[in-house]
């Protein structure tokens, strides 16, 4: 059986392979020279923020670091290719819907506002004022504002997001489904309960001081490659890096820094992980509890031997609540349960705990491998418990570090994109702007989809992103979108969300992060973003717009707002023409943004104060609070073991993609080339099924709700993954993620806990 799509994996992340890939993407953009020049301004004080990940920039020195995904993101945005009205005239929506995500976005940048024409099944150009007028008229015609949904992508700037939430709340609803609902919602919920703030507590500089770094459920080599540089420097310095990840990821094993000339010339690389453990899917909480059990045992042994304590008793006494109950819960959890649920042995877990015990300063970092399970909030509480034991929160070189995805997903939440907004924020808006702010909690992503399906929602506006492909249960989401009176997508390139039109549907093209936004006086507008380390910094595009017909996100929002709610409360046109005025309003309504305009124009921007990083705990107890719950009754891999032929599936990114954007069809870190419909599976599981590498199967969802979910024609790739667990790419496999399965307390889709079976296909 042919398996030509399976090839050699890169020997290390980065290196010459990264440089070759970047060159290829720049050439494909059609603008290799200008693209390379553009990259020199990425993440610079006088340039633009990379439209890719939210990894932090240092407060000192040059922040330019080679990042393969950053190069791809810039080349993707700065392409010479254009999706003009002629392109849409030549292809019906039905025809375009047959294209893959990769093929669709290859057609380039949108150039004109477009309106769907049902009679011809095509999009036709429309004037901006006509688009705003019809959108506003439909929104005003709805029975009440809660019948509309307002989605936000993490690519939106602070200024666009603030103006968006202001418009929507003047309109009268808190319906703000956003990308946070699908990724790090559990981090925000769990950390607020534990330490009083839903953000990480570290700065980038803390990675220079840590003695140990725990990386749980995260793949920085693909998702935020600049982090590899910091991990590499830490490893060279002698920092112990402990990885918990079901998949063997090349970037966590070895990294060849393209900026290290000697390493590149020698063809060398640096080992990243000092310890690499592969838990079963959903087993991270049990693994962390096992480490805390080992820490308590080491404390007891130290006391018995008259040795220095292992726990930080002074910190625990002054700053923590609930330790006794938590210890009782740990003592009640047996090693057999921990081993079965984690998929790791006691000896492996104790080795990891030894690293923690012998490190003075520890950072724990995680991503969606932790946050997209049923019990994600409990897992994050367990991680916080673990870090509190030795006082590893609120001091240099130590802390909690959830790593966000898109470049401003954290900032959007800070400036008000929240379906459950704090009362203090609503009070501030009401006092400052003088209008009655809606108080009823709104819809998140899953409840918004439910409202679209049952008809209680009739309109959808998407500020960036690709809602239809980012969300779970793809077939149901397509039905939900096409069930609406109005769909509006603010975007830079065509994507599949545009091909699921409601009764009236618009595509509104906006400027990209790399492009200049000039106001009426010809001055370049500045926007701001917030990274995963709570650093706020400015971004100003340097390239000419892809089309003279493009508007900024801010201008588009202002145009819709003026047509919908008028100018009685806010002069929308004034704010669109002067982003400083938007920042004045942010400063007046959100703590931490004092002197916003002045501080934003300083190199590297400024840090939003994090109370937990200063050991100030905004919790009901007034202290950091231990969580004393039990382990989950059963995880996804334990459920899979109970039924023959069932597997636990996680979805993840290819190395040649960022979120739903697919840059190419190769995943050289995992040895897959020219193919995306693949299933990574343990060789012994293949053998047990009597299957072979490259064999084709349909993947069938196994969720007890009466809905058949099928991902057709996928190929097996043997891989180093725990038996019973499998993995594959999203968005292709999102069709298998059921809307009815969501994280406890977070309501996040359980994209890392999907139960499936296989159906064999006949050979072609």
């Amino acid at each position: 059986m042919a398996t030509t799509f399976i090839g050699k994996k890169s020997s290390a992340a980065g290196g010459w392979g990264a440089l070759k890939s970047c060159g290829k993407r720049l050439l494909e953009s059609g603008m290799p020279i200008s693209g390379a020049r553009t990259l020199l301004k990425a993440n610079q004080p006088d340039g633009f923020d990379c439209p890719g990940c939210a990894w932090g920039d240092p407060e000192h020195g040059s922040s330019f670091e080679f990042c393969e995904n950053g190069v791809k993101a810039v080349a993707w945005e700065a392409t010479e290719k254009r999706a003009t009205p002629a392109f849409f005239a030549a292809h019906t929506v039905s025809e375009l819907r047959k294209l893959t995500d990769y093929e669709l976005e290859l057609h380039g940048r949108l150039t004109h506002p477009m309106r769907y024409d049902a009679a011809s099944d095509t999009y036709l150009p429309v004037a901006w004022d006509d688009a705003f007028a019809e959108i506003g008229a439909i929104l005003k015609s709805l029975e009440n504002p809660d019948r509309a949904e307002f989605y936000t992508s993490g690519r939106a700037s602070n200024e666009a997001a603030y103006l968006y939430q202001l418009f929507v709340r003047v309109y009268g609803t808190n319906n703000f489904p956003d990308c946070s609902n699908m990724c790090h919602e559990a981090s925000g919920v769990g950390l607020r309960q534990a330490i009083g703030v839903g953000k990480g507590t570290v700065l980038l500089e803390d990675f220079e001081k840590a003695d140990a770094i725990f990386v749980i459920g995260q793949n920085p080599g693909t998702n935020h490659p600049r982090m590899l540089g910091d991990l590499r420097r830490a490893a060279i310095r002698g920092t112990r890096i402990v990885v918990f990840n079901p998949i063997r990821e090349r970037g966590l094993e070895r990294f060849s820094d393209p900026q290290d000339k000697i390493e590149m010339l020698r063809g060398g690389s640096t080992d990243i992980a000092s310890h690499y453990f592969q838990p079963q899917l959903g087993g991270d909480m049990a693994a962390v509890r096992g480490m805390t059990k080992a820490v308590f045992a080491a404390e007891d042994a130290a006391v018995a031997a008259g040795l220095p304590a292992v726990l930080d008793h002074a910190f625990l006494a002054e700053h923590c609540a609930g330790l006794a109950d938590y210890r009782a819960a740990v003592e009640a959890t047996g090693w057999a349960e921990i081993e079965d649920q984690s998929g790791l042995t006691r000896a492996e877990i104790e080795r990891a705990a030894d690293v923690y015990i012998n490190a003075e300063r520890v950072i724990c970092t995680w991503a969606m491998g932790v946050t997209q399970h049923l019990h994600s909030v409990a897992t994050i509480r367990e991680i916080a418990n673990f870090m509190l034991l030795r006082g590893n929160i609120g001091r240099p070189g130590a802390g909690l570090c959830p790593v966000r995805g898109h470049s401003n997903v954290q900032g959007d939440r800070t400036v008000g994109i929240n379906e459950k907004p704090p009362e203090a924020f609503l009070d501030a808006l009401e006092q400052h702007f003088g209008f009655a702010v809606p108080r009823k909690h709104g819809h998140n992503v899953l409840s918004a989809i439910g409202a679209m399906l049952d008809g209680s929602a009739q309109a959808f506006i998407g500020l960036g992103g690709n809602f239809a492909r980012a969300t779970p249960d793809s077939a149901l989401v397509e039905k939900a979108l096409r069930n609406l009176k109005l769909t509006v997508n603010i975007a830079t390139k065509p994507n599949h969300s545009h091909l699921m039109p409601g009764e009236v549907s618009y595509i509104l093209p906006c400027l990209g992060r790399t492009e200049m936004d000039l106001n009426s006086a010809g001055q370049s507008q500045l926007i701001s973003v917030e990274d995963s380390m709570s650093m706020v910094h400015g971004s100003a595009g340097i390239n000419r717009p892809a089309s003279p017909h493009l508007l900024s996100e801010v201008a588009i929002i202002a145009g819709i707002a003026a047509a919908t709610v008028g100018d009685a409360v806010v002069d929308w046109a004034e704010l669109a023409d002067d982003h400083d005025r938007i920042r004045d309003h942010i400063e007046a309504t959100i703590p931490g943004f004092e002197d916003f305009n002045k501080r934003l124009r300083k190199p590297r921007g400024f840090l939003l104060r994090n109370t937990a990083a200063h050991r100030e705990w905004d919790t009901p107890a007034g202290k950091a609070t231990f969580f004393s719950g039990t382990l989950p009754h059963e995880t996804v891999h334990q459920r899979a073991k109970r039924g023959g032929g069932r597997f636990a599936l996680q979805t993840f990114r290819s190395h040649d993609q960022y979120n739903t954007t697919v840059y190419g069809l190769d995943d050289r870190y995992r040895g897959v080339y020219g193919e995306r419909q693949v299933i990574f599976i343990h060789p012994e599981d293949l053998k047990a099924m009597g299957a072979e590498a490259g064999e084709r199967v349909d993947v069938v969802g196994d969720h007890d709700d009466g809905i058949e979910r099928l991902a057709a024609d996928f190929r097996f790739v043997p891989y180093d993954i725990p038996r019973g667990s499998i993995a594959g790419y999203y968005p292709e496999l999102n069709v298998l993620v059921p809307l009815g399965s969501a994280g406890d307390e977070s309501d996040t889709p359980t994209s890392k806990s999907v139960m499936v079976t296989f159906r064999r296909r006949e050979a072609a």
Side-chain angles (χ1 to χ4, degrees), residues 299 390 454 500 552 563 760:
E299 167 72 10
R390 286 176 50 80
D454 68 20
M500 302 170 187
S552 69
R760 310 291 274 271

Side-chain angles (χ1 to χ4, degrees), residues 51-131:
C53 76
W55 186 247
D57 297 329
E59 287 189 280
H60 55 75
S62 170
S63 70
F64 177 77
E65 292 184 277
F66 178 87
C67 170
E68 183 179 349
N69 270 13
V71 173
K72 292 174 182 176
V74 170
W76 178 90
E77 180 175 291
T79 178
E80 69 170 358
K81 299 174 184 177
R82 301 288 183 264
T84 65
F87 162 75
F88 286 102
H91 304 281
T92 66
V93 166
S94 298
E95 291 169 348
L96 293 175
R97 201 178 291 127
K98 297 175 183 177
L99 299 179
T100 66
D101 301 274
Y102 174 61
E103 292 168 336
L104 185 60
E105 295 192 19
L106 275 181
H107 289 284
R109 293 290 301 278
L110 296 161
T111 61
H112 293 68
M114 307 293 289
R115 185 187 189 278
Y116 180 65
D117 177 61
S120 63
D121 191 29
T122 61
Y123 274 97
L124 304 176
V126 62
W128 278 109
D129 287 345
D130 292 342

Side-chain angles (χ1 to χ4, degrees), residues 3 33 51 63 152 167 310 325 337 360 379 410-411 434 464 488 540 599 645 665 726 748 750:
T3 56
I33 304 301
S63 70
T152 316
F167 151 53
V310 171
D325 289 342
E337 181 183 4
E360 181 182 349
T379 301
Q410 183 161 302
V488 179
R599 289 196 290 163
L665 302 180
I726 60 174
T748 296
T750 56

Side-chain angles (χ1 to χ4, degrees), residues 309-324:
V310 171
L311 304 182
D312 187 338
H313 290 283
F315 171 82
L316 292 167
E318 181 179 356
H319 292 285
C320 298
L323 175 61

Side-chain angles (χ1 to χ4, degrees), residues 166 427 465:
L166 180 60
D427 291 343

Side-chain angles (χ1 to χ4, degrees), residues 464-486:
N466 186 354
F467 184 82
R469 299 296 277 162
T471 47
D473 236 336
S474 307
L476 286 179
V477 172
E478 177 174 354
K479 178 182 176 183
L481 288 169
R482 300 179 74 177
N483 194 39
L484 300 174
K485 289 184 177 180
L486 173 69

Side-chain angles (χ1 to χ4, degrees), residues 618-635:
D618 186 16
T619 64
K623 294 185 175 185
T625 305
F626 280 92
F627 166 73
S628 56
T630 62
L631 294 182
H633 170 67
E634 195 174 43
T635 62

